Amino acid sequence: EGIRNNPLHQSQRVEQEEIDGSVNIILNIPITSEFESYLVKNHKQIIVNSPTTLANKVKKLIGE
């Protein structure tokens, strides 16, 4: 379900599954403005952990 059945990119791999049903994934993709927009639009379902520069940019764009 969710991101498991609809990967964001072909490089996506699951790093860890959490007890609460959330998953940590790794993507190896270029950071484009479209991807940044996707992250901002879906910020309530997605947490960016790294790279730190992207995590900080998303936080700034959503006003955190």
Side-chain angles (χ1 to χ4, degrees):
E1 72 187 50
I3 203 159
R4 292 182 150 289
N5 293 334
N6 298 304
L8 298 175
H9 187 263
Q10 63 195 24
S11 69
Q12 177 177 313
R13 68 179 174 86
V14 174
E15 180 182 45
Q16 186 173 346
E17 296 182 47
E18 303 295 338
I19 293 172
D20 65 2
S22 63
V23 290
N24 297 329
I25 63 167
I26 294 176
L27 298 168
N28 185 18
I29 61 174
I31 299 170
T32 63
S33 59
E34 290 85 6
F35 184 59
E36 290 174 352
S37 294
Y38 175 85
L39 295 172
V40 169
K41 179 179 158 187
N42 294 286
H43 76 274
K44 293 186 180 195
Q45 293 84 27
I46 298 172
I47 298 171
V48 178
N49 293 318
S50 66
T52 306
T53 52
L54 179 60
N56 290 338
K57 186 169 187 178
V58 170
K59 285 179 184 177
K60 182 178 178 181
L61 290 170
I62 63 173
E64 285 188 2

